[in-house]
Amino acid sequence: MQIQVVCVGKLKEKYWTGAIEEYAKRLGAYARLDIRELPDEKTPDSMSPAEEEQVRIREGERILAALKPDAHVVALAIDGETWTSEQLAAHLDKQAVYGGGAVSFVIGGSLGLSAAVLSRADKKLSFGRMTYPHQLMRVLLLEQVYRAFKINRGEPYHK
């Protein structure tokens, strides 16, 4: 299975990159992982709503260009569906068997995702109503994808 993570912004801190490297290594036994870091737009503290929308549009264009045309796209969005780990596992299993085996997860920048990216998404997934740093979301997402593969294989890890 091919798992792609398209994300806005670059990880700078070693504790984030170390966690990503660990889960990427673990996932290597189950899937091919491709993490695409895209440049983020500068977002000064005092932006008008129109300027914020322009940032989302520009970042969204980069995201859409990075997605494979045939990929099943899951956008991480605060207003998306909330799944259990077992539901994510079932979703990935279904995509592996019936969906061509390629899933792209999208993590937006600090202002969220553009309407164009959200409309391209096949599913919108929420990790809850709280706001998380997008660096942390990368780690949480990879951990849950790893957990999903362990669940689907019936291997110990998920408790």
Side-chain angles (χ1 to χ4, degrees):
M1 182 163 201
Q2 175 71 38
I3 300 291
Q4 180 185 45
V5 178
V6 177
C7 39
V8 174
K10 192 162 187 67
L11 294 181
K12 297 173 187 87
E13 294 86 358
K14 288 184 180 177
Y15 50 89
W16 296 130
T17 57
I20 295 297
E21 288 168 3
E22 177 62 24
Y23 283 110
K25 182 177 79 176
R26 291 181 185 194
L27 278 166
Y30 303 99
R32 283 175 281 133
L33 179 64
D34 174 30
I35 298 175
R36 298 280 175 100
E37 287 185 334
L38 305 175
D40 55 348
E41 293 287 320
K42 301 293 180 226
T43 54
D45 290 336
S46 58
M47 295 178 72
S48 71
E51 290 170 318
E52 289 181 358
E53 182 60 20
Q54 285 304 307
V55 166
R56 280 190 292 274
I57 288 170
R58 286 191 296 272
E59 290 176 346
E61 288 169 352
R62 289 188 204 115
I63 290 168
L64 293 171
L67 295 171
K68 296 177 178 145
D70 59 341
H72 176 80
V73 176
V74 178
L76 274 60
I78 201 163
D79 64 340
E81 299 174 37
T82 54
W83 292 344
T84 64
S85 297
E86 293 86 357
Q87 286 173 306
L88 176 60
H91 188 78
L92 289 178
D93 192 50
K94 180 180 174 188
Q95 290 308 310
V97 175
Y98 302 109
V103 176
S104 294
F105 291 94
V106 176
I107 302 172
S110 62
L111 298 177
L113 295 168
S114 70
V117 172
L118 292 171
S119 67
R120 167 63 178 91
D122 298 291
K123 291 284 183 181
K124 292 192 301 182
L125 176 62
S126 173
F127 277 61
R129 308 271 318 146
M130 293 182 181
T131 302
Y132 298 102
H134 58 271
Q135 301 96 323
L136 177 59
M137 281 313 306
R138 250 189 257 188
V139 176
L140 289 172
L141 173 64
L142 289 182
E143 190 282 333
Q144 284 298 303
V145 170
Y146 173 70
R147 182 179 298 271
F149 280 106
K150 297 294 267 184
I151 290 169
N152 287 338
R153 299 276 174 92
E155 297 173 357
Y157 177 79
H158 177 64
K159 295 183 184 354

